[in-house]
Amino acid sequence: MWRQVVAQSPGENAPAGEVVRYDVGWKALNTMLKSGRSLSGHERNCCFLNTRGGRFANIAAVANLDFDDDGRVVALADWDVDGDLDMWIANRTGPQCRFLRNDQENDYGFVAFRLQGVHCNRDAIGARVEIYLADDPEHPRRMRTLRAGEGYLAQSSKWVHFGLGDRRQIERVVVAWPHGDRETFIGVEANQRYKLVEGRGESELLEQSDRSIVLEPSKVKVPPSTDQSRIVLISPIPVPVLRYTNSKGQPETIASKQGKTRLINLWATWCKPCLHELDAWKKHAEELRSCGLEIVAVNVDEPDANREAQLEEVNAMLDQLQFPFERGFAMPDLSQQFDVLQRSIVRRQKPMPVPTSFLIDGRGNLRVIYKGPVSAQQLIADSRLMDASPEEVVAASVPYPGIWLGTPAGASPNQIAVKLVEGGFIRETEEYLKYLQSTQVKNPRFNRADANILLGAIYFDQNRLEESADAFQQALISDPSHRQSHIELGRVLNRLEKFDLAADHFEKALERRQNDPELRFKLGMARLKSGAPDEAIRQLIQAVELRPSAATYHQIGNIYHAQGQLKDALEHYSKAVEINRDFYPAVNNLAWTLATSSDASLRDGQRAVELAERVCSRPASRDPSNLDTLAAALAEAGQYEDAVATIKEAIRKAKTAGDLNASRSMERRLLLYQEDKPFHAP
């Protein structure tokens, strides 16, 4: 049986729609994980036994391995040096690490080898070891490979371990070294450990370790679940413009008092821990003030119909507590905005409790978040962090000492801006981004280019195109090679009908990644609108070579058609329809060209009718343009009576829609059909 000893300590060629769905799926999965959900739904560990009959049996339960831990990593080693393999398992949940000692009692044997390369790598990674058993005629050869990693994120022992069962007679051992040479070793006995050195041809018996390893199982101590936490920000982050009403009824922002360290405390009258916390702070008022800390207790009670009477009641409660610090009252959406703020910092996405407090330094930067009550002693200690060194801040960010392999970067102001957008606070996001651009943000993760891109996107959505273009230009000043900035600026310039400039930025973006079919398409369309159809075709053809697309083939066909190259137009319309027979713009244009081409060798009235009828078979598709195509196809096929009826329907619908130019053109074609003549485009 396994006995546990616990140690305590997270497609480029796919069609565009599939790529988007893939990204959306991952985002949904990550959102669930951040909210505390399990990645695999608490699936229990499985251990499969080879029954030697072509099947495997799951013995996890009887072997005491089926823990509900979200296990991820398993590494094998003869940890207690008793001849059988033990397991180390790392998990996503607690305990983060389990040691499972193999205490199975039997008379089975083993043999283990430690390899040393001479001409190959010293650890002989990649070597294959084969043992040949003289007393097992049915399965005489057993084989293992020495790997630098096994399974998912795991590295087992470099000892090559063989379980022998009830076999004992080892005839020979053959090692295939990584560079291809095979070497045979003899004189190997069961229940021993050997060192095999490349090129020696002799096995070296290693003495059994006499070390005594005492491992006793322990019980997992699960701490009580609580929402209370203290989060020290490794890098300061400027606080967004969050507004509340002070005790005089005047609007004020959270970071309005520069030069003073402030604690913004969110509390509610119905919250007993809130009231206990405020009372405790009152008893240490002088100590808190002496360390330069100003406290603002902002009430976040849900406003009722008589807001004035409600505020009087809140003030009376604070007066009864003899609360000696500043008081404030939440303006609409303040609680939600603070919730967005804490979610942008904390990876575990849980609703913000009350009380929650935010420690802000004299420069308007968020430094510490307290979820749940916090003692005055902790506030006094943390107030010293405002002028502490980065090393001292990092040390204070974890509850235990240790050695860092590298300095963690912490959160970024960009994360706050993105979360504000996701929360629907567009005006607040704009204010925040403008503030970030106007100040020197001392945060290693702040990316000025990304901030400008988000600001440009906000302006674009509001149709403030000139401001959007300026924001993307500012992003390129920060980072001239920023690919996304070039793409977004090109998109804005397209909307501003500055097609040459748009194309230039699309080309610069393509310098960083040539095989982007969507960007090739955008560049082609910009070149077309700037009056360069040949260059447009060249870019669009490269786009469909990277990713065949009905829309792109259709657009190439349109350009050829406009240039009078009808044969080429038909070829590309046909390719679009081959990819997607229900891409009706291409089906309609293919039918129109087959019916109305000035080149008799290209016309095919019957096929044009089939295509046009497919388009018009759906009631929603019987618009004037598609009906006009069907009428032309019917006339080319000699079905003039049907052509006349169809074009009359198209004319009625065009006049109803107010499209008089289209109706006049169709009336001229009606005269032809009434004379039993088809329409051929000049």
Side-chain angles (χ1 to χ4, degrees):
M1 293 295 103
W2 295 91
R3 191 178 182 193
Q4 64 158 322
V5 180
V6 177
Q8 291 284 79
S9 44
E12 188 172 311
N13 293 322
E18 291 183 16
V19 173
V20 171
R21 288 194 294 272
Y22 179 83
D23 289 341
V24 169
W26 267 112
K27 182 177 181 181
L29 184 62
N30 286 326
T31 299
M32 288 193 295
L33 291 175
K34 290 176 181 178
S35 66
R37 300 280 294 277
S38 167
L39 181 66
S40 61
H42 295 285
E43 297 173 3
R44 291 186 173 275
N45 296 338
C46 294
C47 179
F48 295 97
L49 175 68
N50 186 347
T51 63
R52 298 187 181 183
R55 300 177 66 85
F56 290 81
N58 185 0
I59 62 165
V62 296
N64 196 25
L65 287 168
D66 63 335
F67 296 103
D68 181 17
D69 291 340
D70 273 0
R72 286 295 176 273
V73 180
V74 59
L76 303 177
D78 184 3
W79 193 260
D80 51 3
V81 201
D82 65 350
D84 53 34
L85 291 177
D86 310 298
M87 289 185 184
W88 284 98
I89 299 179
N91 307 302
R92 284 184 62 88
T93 58
Q96 292 183 345
C97 187
R98 283 188 189 270
F99 174 60
L100 299 173
R101 186 174 63 207
N102 189 345
D103 287 344
Q104 179 81 21
E105 294 184 3
N106 54 53
D107 295 327
Y108 294 156
F110 80 98
V111 66
F113 305 98
R114 192 63 178 263
L115 306 186
Q116 180 178 320
V118 176
H119 303 293
C120 64
N121 64 86
R122 182 175 177 82
D123 289 331
I125 301 300
R128 187 179 69 238
V129 181
E130 304 169 3
I131 64 171
Y132 291 83
L133 303 175
D135 54 350
D136 191 352
E138 186 176 355
H139 301 288
R141 186 180 72 158
R142 300 184 185 179
M143 179 173 61
R144 285 194 179 279
T145 301
L146 180 56
R147 300 185 178 93
E150 290 185 302
Y152 178 69
L153 300 177
Q155 170 63 63
S156 293
S157 168
K158 284 188 288 188
W159 280 95
V160 182
H161 185 103
F162 290 89
L164 300 178
D166 56 2
R167 310 301 180 180
R168 293 292 185 273
Q169 298 179 24
I170 302 172
E171 180 183 291
R172 67 185 186 278
V173 178
V174 178
V175 179
W177 298 101
H179 50 62
D181 288 352
R182 292 173 63 85
E183 187 173 6
T184 300
F185 298 84
I186 59 175
V188 173
E189 297 181 358
N191 298 326
Q192 300 292 343
R193 292 176 174 81
Y194 294 90
K195 181 177 182 181
L196 306 180
V197 180
E198 182 185 9
R200 289 188 184 176
E202 294 182 0
S203 57
E204 178 185 343
L205 178 64
L206 298 178
E207 295 294 331
Q208 298 282 8
S209 172
D210 58 356
R211 61 181 176 144
S212 175
I213 301 177
V214 179
L215 298 172
E216 291 298 330
S218 62
K219 292 184 178 179
V220 181
K221 296 180 180 179
V222 181
S225 178
T226 176
D227 286 335
Q228 188 169 348
S229 60
R230 166 180 169 269
I231 302 104
V232 176
L233 276 69
I234 294 171
S235 300
I237 291 186
V239 177
V241 181
L242 305 179
R243 298 175 175 85
Y244 69 97
T245 303
N246 62 23
S247 57
K248 298 177 182 178
Q250 300 167 333
E252 195 167 321
T253 62
I254 294 300
S256 60
K257 293 187 178 180
Q258 297 288 317
K260 295 183 178 180
T261 301
R262 307 180 87 194
L263 182 79
I264 307 299
N265 169 252
L266 307 183
W267 70 283
T269 56
W270 46 264
C271 168
K272 288 186 178 180
C274 298
L275 301 176
H276 289 313
E277 181 179 53
L278 297 178
D279 187 56
W281 291 347
K282 176 193 72 176
K283 297 172 183 177
H284 298 274
E286 290 306 316
E287 297 171 73
L288 290 166
R289 286 197 179 102
S290 66
C291 67
L293 183 62
E294 285 193 356
I295 294 178
V296 184
V298 179
N299 178 262
V300 293
D301 282 3
E302 191 73 25
D304 59 22
N306 191 345
R307 181 62 171 164
E308 195 170 315
Q310 183 184 24
L311 296 181
E312 289 181 5
E313 182 181 338
V314 172
N315 275 318
M317 182 175 289
L318 291 174
D319 290 340
Q320 185 177 356
L321 279 173
Q322 298 181 333
F323 186 66
F325 299 105
E326 187 180 341
R327 59 191 68 178
F329 307 95
M331 296 182 72
D333 296 327
L334 182 69
S335 296
Q336 189 177 351
Q337 290 166 6
F338 266 114
D339 190 42
V340 167
L341 178 60
Q342 66 94 13
R343 285 175 185 267
S344 66
I345 307 278
V346 183
R347 185 170 180 83
R348 184 71 177 270
Q349 301 291 286
K350 298 186 69 175
M352 181 181 67
V354 286
T356 292
S357 303
F358 298 81
L359 188 62
I360 300 167
D361 67 21
R363 294 172 291 278
N365 295 315
L366 179 62
R367 304 301 296 272
V368 188
I369 300 174
Y370 307 97
K371 299 173 78 170
V374 55
S375 68
Q377 290 75 17
Q378 185 67 66
L379 292 176
I380 292 168
D382 287 344
S383 68
R384 303 188 188 104
L385 295 175
M386 302 304 100
D387 298 312
S389 67
E391 292 76 19
E392 290 172 317
V393 173
V394 170
S397 68
V398 290
Y400 41 78
I403 298 174
W404 292 89
L405 295 178
T407 303
S412 164
N414 301 80
Q415 296 170 226
I416 294 178
V418 170
K419 283 290 184 182
L420 284 171
V421 170
E422 291 177 357
F425 299 107
I426 305 302
R427 180 176 64 87
E428 290 78 5
T429 308
E430 183 181 342
E431 288 181 328
Y432 186 51
L433 290 170
K434 285 181 176 179
Y435 171 72
L436 293 176
Q437 304 294 12
S438 66
T439 188
Q440 293 296 321
V441 180
K442 295 182 178 180
N443 184 298
R445 293 195 62 195
F446 173 57
N447 188 306
R448 200 169 292 274
D450 286 345
N452 271 308
I453 284 178
L454 183 56
L455 189 59
I458 291 172
Y459 290 147
F460 185 85
D461 288 344
Q462 297 172 346
N463 206 34
R464 297 158 64 181
L465 299 181
E466 294 290 351
E467 292 171 277
S468 178
D470 182 65
F472 291 125
Q473 289 280 15
Q474 292 298 319
L476 288 170
I477 291 173
S478 302
D479 183 356
S481 63
H482 200 283
R483 184 173 184 271
Q484 194 62 35
S485 297
H486 283 297
I487 294 173
E488 298 299 334
L489 181 55
R491 187 166 68 123
V492 178
L493 292 170
N494 254 340
R495 286 278 294 273
L496 290 169
E497 298 186 1
K498 299 178 181 180
F499 303 118
D500 278 329
L501 292 175
D504 291 342
H505 285 284
F506 290 145
E507 283 190 338
K508 288 177 181 176
L510 277 168
E511 291 175 4
R512 299 286 299 275
R513 195 169 77 200
Q514 295 284 326
N515 60 342
D516 186 333
E518 184 179 349
L519 194 52
R520 288 276 175 200
F521 181 86
K522 290 179 179 178
L523 174 57
M525 296 306 297
R527 289 301 183 203
L528 175 65
K529 292 173 183 176
S530 66
D534 292 338
E535 176 61 18
I537 287 175
R538 191 176 74 83
Q539 294 297 337
L540 294 174
I541 287 175
Q542 289 187 59
V544 290
E545 287 174 351
L546 290 166
R547 183 190 297 161
S549 160
T552 307
Y553 275 123
H554 174 238
Q555 192 59 57
I556 297 171
N558 287 343
I559 300 173
Y560 278 129
H561 197 284
Q563 293 179 318
Q565 297 174 248
L566 301 186
K567 185 176 181 180
D568 291 327
L570 283 172
E571 176 188 345
H572 287 85
Y573 289 147
S574 297
K575 288 181 178 178
V577 175
E578 286 174 12
I579 291 175
N580 184 355
R581 69 185 306 273
D582 295 326
F583 188 74
Y584 291 126
V587 178
N588 184 72
N589 284 355
L590 177 58
W592 176 263
T593 308
L594 289 169
T596 67
S597 173
S598 57
D599 185 345
S601 66
L602 300 179
R603 292 198 296 270
D604 186 340
Q606 194 55 49
R607 188 180 176 216
V609 170
E610 293 172 1
L611 292 166
E613 284 182 339
R614 187 201 305 169
V615 175
C616 293
S617 63
R618 297 169 65 250
S621 297
R622 293 184 70 86
D623 60 32
S625 175
N626 293 337
L627 288 168
D628 189 15
T629 299
L630 177 57
L634 290 166
E636 178 61 27
Q639 302 175 41
Y640 293 108
E641 186 176 339
D642 291 337
V644 169
T646 303
I647 198 74
K648 285 181 177 180
E649 182 185 350
I651 292 169
R652 285 196 305 272
K653 290 191 173 184
K655 288 181 177 179
T656 302
D659 192 349
L660 298 182
N661 287 333
S663 66
R664 282 193 287 267
S665 295
M666 288 186 280
E667 284 171 348
R668 288 192 291 270
R669 286 190 279 279
L670 171 61
L671 295 176
L672 288 174
Y673 304 154
Q674 288 172 333
E675 296 175 0
D676 291 350
K677 294 179 181 179
F679 169 74
H680 296 151

